[in-house]
Structure formats: structure tokens, C-alpha cells
Amino acid sequence: MAKKTTKKKTTKKPTAKSQPAASKKKIVRKKRNAADTGARLVDMANSVADQISREMDPGVHIPTRALSNVNFDKKSGLIVMGSNAQRRSFFNVGMAKKFMQTTLVAAGCKQLIDQKKTTSIRDLFYHTKHTIPGTKENTFDEQSESDPIIEDLEVAMASLREELGLFAEPKGAMVGPMVIEDNGDTIDLSKMGSGGWAIPSIVEDHIIKFKRGGAKFVLLIEKGAVWRRFSEDRFWEKHKCMIIHGGGQPPRGVRRLMWRMHQELKLPVYVLVDNDPWGYYIYSVVKQGSINLAFESQRMAIPAARFIGMSAYDAAKFDIPKAVSINLTEQDKRRAKEVAAYPWFASKPWQREIRQMLKLGVKLELEALSNKDFSFITEQYLPQKLKDKQWLD
Amino acid sequence: MAKKTTKKKTTKKPTAKSQPAASKKKIVRKKRNAADTGARLVDMANSVADQISREMDPGVHIPTRALSNVNFDKKSGLIVMGSNAQRRSFFNVGMAKKFMQTTLVAAGCKQLIDQKKTTSIRDLFYHTKHTIPGTKENTFDEQSESDPIIEDLEVAMASLREELGLFAEPKGAMVGPMVIEDNGDTIDLSKMGSGGWAIPSIVEDHIIKFKRGGAKFVLLIEKGAVWRRFSEDRFWEKHKCMIIHGGGQPPRGVRRLMWRMHQELKLPVYVLVDNDPWGYYIYSVVKQGSINLAFESQRMAIPAARFIGMSAYDAAKFDIPKAVSINLTEQDKRRAKEVAAYPWFASKPWQREIRQMLKLGVKLELEALSNKDFSFITEQYLPQKLKDKQWLD
């Protein structure tokens, strides 16, 4: 446990107040929708057909999705893709199958867009899977073959998969002072009872529209069970905020919705996670994007998102008994060191934060605060952190 | 793949029509609520205090939660607990710690009930965890110690954990023609946009009230992504039903809510799962309850629930290509045989169903139907199954 002397507000950043709610870097937002994506798919198909009619080896250009083509752009604070691309062509034994799969997935997505339907990536796998006539060869054997093709198409079309009509298993919920329109239905998110509004996977502005609202900020809570405490205690009412959770690592729908609230409504975003390396990582993905899906950063990541807790200094500051902390495993320690080496955690306050966790040798879950009182987290812990501006950027 | 001759409606049960929507066995429902549970907790505490004042070895009676104390009641169609119980007392080295833990958890639950709050079982673990003064001994080390104590208390108090103020991680969503009241908010479940209403973990009638509705049945869909197809295609509107999913094995809130709709609104319940042994198992838990939590069957299980699909006969019947089926693993085969041996799957149609899966040697996911068309499942498959009454009881 930290000594009493660490109780001074080491994580306080008095300059934070002067920061604008939204990211300083204005991201150029192009108005795009599913119809545009459909048009780009047709362009790709026409290009392939054209190559065939000119008796060329037909192929498509796919930007390279590899660590070698990813870098951290300090100016925007985003993990972004480089410009490397590869030509995927038919008359190349190493590529022929992938080329065929790419055109199949593209055709499936075009069909979805034309039918104005959406579906899961698993559904699309089955939709495009068949045995090639006269052979025993399947177009796809496993979904693990079609998923990367979808990501290839996303980058090639410069479209989110949601614009291709594809969604992931929905996860997460939100409540707060806001009225939205969801698929034509008007929904008052302050009157959602105990369950909240289930966040769909596709939250683009042709489906979800922000109508009215009185929220001053967005609070992302790592876990559904802790979110429920905030909902039951009506934290959102007292503190005028949207409370949202993504059931652990927030899924794309939750990230994209937060991004939209941040960009369009200029709401600051605070992230409340367990004090463990996984919590830092969740925050990091919300803030800078992920390495695997770097091409989405511009439309998902929120560089101005703030880490409100739990900090490794909180146990001492809030007098949390030692019995409820958990020793770091070897894997935790390794992970913490990895996180500390990310260029976007290079700032002094972040290095101090991670060093403190390693020094204490323990992690702390949000639920541990219940040791003080069931509502300690909503009535004392978070209000004080917000009041004292004890967050990390 | 099944031969064409198996296309006759082997799963059709013409007599099913004559069955009432709700279970034939009238389950005696006692009106109980959290306050009653609080009173029973006080009774338990008084009894312990009384034993101490009379210088007896203080203890509590805990019904035995073991396979040896579980049986299948053919009459009610439920997996039920027997009457064995054990005295857990303080002056018994093998029981002292568990006795202490039982009283701690009981005190935590009483506190929750008094504060009119609810919390997660993880939260309660942290709430009751502390180092015993003057020792290095913790009241609990892991949540795996407090969870069984909660189940002990549930059976000892004859209360669901939800009545003890405890909830699980919420999962699942519902839409359909029904207006409910959730924690005082009126919610129209036919106007929930694309996301649906997130089903809370605690759905007891002091929190969730059914107000108005036009639904004729309840359809449980195994997966969120498939549920979304039904939601997007507005299946619930055309077929006047509630569509609900629990993200795989439905959590307690979803099961309890279906039970309430079945019992209170007399709605028949249909279960739509993947055609694999896990799907049979999910259906089985909805219908008879689970072996682990047999004491909850009376308030969770729906003996009249119907298995609408997918059946091992459906691939042939609906002409689903072989390429989208998946070979059964050895574990699948073992599991299928286990399921076939359950007394509640002893009926001829069920034995035939499971034999057919083993004979074909393949399983089929709901998403496989997308191979025909994205909306094949909502526009052709399920409407035909319902029309032809092709379900199993």
C-alpha cells in the first residue's frame, strides 16, 4: 500500500481545465453513408471487369494491415495506418483464393446494402460459403478466413464495416439526459428503467440521431455490474452525464457512439476502469485506437478522452483496505511494462502512474470500493475525483 | 445429409395444439418480496443469537445442494431439490469458517435490502471481505468462496438471489408489442429502435410490471446477432410476439422474465437455438431448470416451453447446402449422448431428434440459413415451422 505521503494529488493536472472538450485537432469529417460504400464497391467491381475485358490479370489494391504499416501520429494523438498497399490478383497461386474471397465478400456486402439490411459477420461467412461446383473446394472453410477479408474491404473502401452493413454481437448499455432517435423511434434515455438502452452495433447517423440533451459529459464504465450501480443511484441525473458501458473492452458500437457524442455534441469523455493493466489498455484503445484496427482510429478514437480512475494512487487516497487488493501476476507485470512502453503513455504522469502500480505490486477492481459502502463509488469516490480534476490525459 | 425420404414431418406433433399455453401443472405462487426475505434473514440471525444465549453451538440449516439431493419430478416436469439439509455450526473446525461466511453474507444482504439497493455478487464479495483483526486470515480470499454461500442462503431463505438484492452481469434484450413499467418508467417495447430494451438482471414484479400488450407468444433466440435479424425484419410485428435473446445461455433475468410472461400473461414460449448439443442443453435449462440450480426451477423453469428449432431434420427439409454444416466433434457426440440420457429427453420424438443429429454427424448454426438468403430465417424458415407446428415438447 502506498505511504501516506503519496496522498498529495500527484495525478492532478491543473492545466486540464483549459483544454477544450473535443480534441484540439479538427478531424475532417466526410459525410459518407452506405450508398456511397455501395458505389465504391461497384467501382471496384467495374475495375476488375475492365481488367478482364482488357485481358489483364484482374486484381484489387488492398492497403497493408500489418504492424509495419502502423504508426502513432503524435500530432493527432492517433494510431494510424501508413500508405503501403498490395495488389491482390487472380493469376497468382498465392493470391487466387483470397482474390476470389474478396470479390465474394464484396458481392455479399453490396447485396446487403441494396436490400437495406444489416447482418453479422458470421452470417456473411455462411452467406458466402459454398462448395465450388465440380470440386470439393469450399469458398471458405472457417469464419477466420472471411473476417480478415472484411477488414481488407473496410480499408480498401475506406468504410467502416458498419457501412458495409455488418455488425458485431451487440454489447453495452447507456442512460442519461438525452433524447435520441433510433431507427425512427424516439427514445428518452432518461426513462429507460433499470435495464437501460441496449447499444446497437451500428450507430451511424442515419440510424441513431441525437435530438435533445442536457448532458455535460460522457462517463464510460468498464463493467455492466458497476454501471448498474451508477444507474440505480441515478448518478447521471445528479451529475448531468451520459453513463455508458461496453461489458469490458467496449465493442465498436459503443466506441463509435462515444466518438459521435464527443465530436458532434462536444462532450468530454471520462473513462473509469479497474486499476490493472487491462484497464489501462481499455483506456488506451478508447483514446488512440488499437494497433489491429488502426484504419478505424480516425472514426473511433477519442484523443481527448480522460482517464478518471482507478489510479494506483487511489487506494491510499481513499483509504481502501489492503485486503481487497489483488497481487499482480507475472503476466500483469509484463503487460504493465508493455503498456508503459507505448509512445502514447510516455508522459510523466502516466509513467508515474504505471510505476506506482508496479511498486505497490497490486491491482484493484472497481467493485473493491464497495468494501467502504455499496454506494461509495457513486457518492464519494467519483464526485471527489471529478471535483478535484484528478484525471490523466 | 438426410435422405429425401426424411422430409416427412417427423417432428410434427398434431396433438400439441390441444395443449394450453401455460404449463398444465399449476404452480402455487407465493407472493414474496425483498422485505419478506429481509424478515427471514432476521429470523435466522435471531435463531443464531438465541442459540448463543442458551450456550449452544450456534448453527444454521442449509439444504444440501448436490446431485444426490436433486431429482426430476415427472409430474411437474421440473428438476427439483430433495429435502436433505445440513447443519452448519460454529464449533466444528470443518464448518466454522463457512458458518462465519454465511453470517457475513447474510448481513450484507440484509444491509442491501434495508438500503433498498441492489448489487453484483462480485460487489458483495468485496463488501464482506476483510482481514480478521489480529490475524492474517481473510474472511474470503476469492469470489469462488462467496458465490456458493450466496446459493446456500438462497435455498435456506427460499429466496431467489434477486430477492437478496443481488444481480448477475446483465445480458440480453427484448422487443415486441408490449408496454412495461421498469422502475417507474413506462417503456414501449415496440418503439425501442434497433438496440432493443436491455433486460436487467432483476425483473421481479416490484421492478418490472407488464402494462399492456398484444403479443401472442414469446420467441427466445439463442444469439444476439440472429435476434437482431428478427428485430430488423420486424418479425415481432408481423407475428405478434415478443422476441428475446440472452446472448447464448440465457442469464437468470431473461429466464425469470420469460417465466413471468408465461405464467402471468399465459404466453407460450418457443426456443430457437443452433442445432447442436449445446442448443439442446439451452432448451433443456429453459424447460426443466438446471441441475446446479435445481432450487430455482419452480420460479425459473417453463415445462411447457417448445423447441421450435433448429432440428436435425431441418437441413434436408429446407434444402440447406452441405457446405454450411459443421462436423460434430468427439465432444459434441459425447454431449449429445449425455443429453439423450436425461430423463426429460426420454420421449420418442426427442430420442429420434438426437439420433438424427448423431446419424448425420453434423451440426448447423442458425446463421447457416443465411446461405439461402439473409432473411430466409425470418421470412420462410420460422413462419413455416410455426405454421406446420413443427416443434418438440
Side-chain angles (χ1 to χ4, degrees), chain B residues 43-59:
Chain B
D43 285 348
M44 184 183 98
N46 283 339
S47 157
V48 169
D50 182 55
Q51 291 167 49
I52 294 171
S53 69
R54 289 193 282 135
E55 295 184 2
M56 289 167 62
D57 174 15

Side-chain angles (χ1 to χ4, degrees), chain B residues 352-375:
Chain B
R352 209 160 45 208
E353 165 71 26
I354 300 170
R355 261 204 317 274
Q356 177 71 0
M357 176 186 284
L358 287 167
K359 190 181 135 203
L360 297 178
V362 295
K363 53 189 175 180
L364 205 60
E365 289 192 281
L366 290 167
E367 288 94 331
L369 296 174
S370 296
N371 189 264
K372 311 275 287 183
D373 179 70
F374 289 122
S375 291

Side-chain angles (χ1 to χ4, degrees), chain A residues 272-370:
Chain A
L272 179 63
V273 291
D274 287 342
N275 185 232
D276 59 21
W278 178 242
Y280 295 149
Y281 180 72
I282 287 179
Y283 168 70
S284 153
V285 170
V286 168
K287 192 178 176 74
Q288 280 90 18
S290 71
I291 293 169
N292 291 338
L293 301 175
F295 58 96
E296 303 174 333
S297 298
Q298 283 232 330
R299 310 182 66 194
M300 291 270 198
I302 305 167
R306 288 157 174 165
F307 175 86
I308 190 76
M310 295 205 310
S311 155
Y313 290 95
D314 286 346
K317 206 171 294 171
F318 291 92
D319 204 19
I320 309 299
K322 209 175 162 57
V324 294
S325 60
I326 302 169
N327 289 334
L328 291 176
T329 63
E330 283 312 308
Q331 199 193 348
D332 286 331
K333 289 178 194 167
R334 215 165 37 238
R335 194 84 192 89
K337 282 170 196 161
E338 272 171 33
V339 166
Y342 287 159
W344 47 94
F345 280 135
S347 72
K348 271 192 183 163
W350 265 110
Q351 290 295 313
R352 208 158 48 208
E353 165 71 27
I354 300 170
R355 261 204 317 275
Q356 176 71 0
M357 176 185 283
L358 286 167
K359 190 181 135 203
L360 297 177
V362 295
K363 52 188 175 181
L364 205 61
E365 290 193 281
L366 290 167
E367 289 94 331
L369 296 174
S370 295

Side-chain angles (χ1 to χ4, degrees), chain B residues 180-248:
Chain B
I180 60 165
E181 201 183 287
D182 175 356
N183 231 356
D185 295 332
T186 299
I187 299 178
D188 185 342
L189 297 183
S190 70
K191 293 184 178 145
M192 294 306 292
S194 54
W197 172 63
I199 298 168
S201 177
I202 304 187
V203 297
E204 299 307 307
D205 56 9
H206 64 286
I207 296 187
I208 307 292
K209 292 181 173 61
F210 303 129
K211 308 301 280 186
R212 299 182 300 280
K216 303 262 181 268
F217 62 93
V218 174
L219 175 65
L220 172 72
I221 298 160
E222 181 178 345
K223 297 157 164 174
V226 179
W227 175 89
R228 157 109 191 183
R229 158 70 37 232
F230 281 78
S231 171
E232 190 171 290
D233 291 351
R234 296 181 82 84
F235 182 90
W236 53 269
E237 198 168 46
K238 190 166 176 190
H239 294 272
K240 295 192 177 43
C241 63
M242 305 307 298
I243 59 172
I244 185 168
H245 81 87

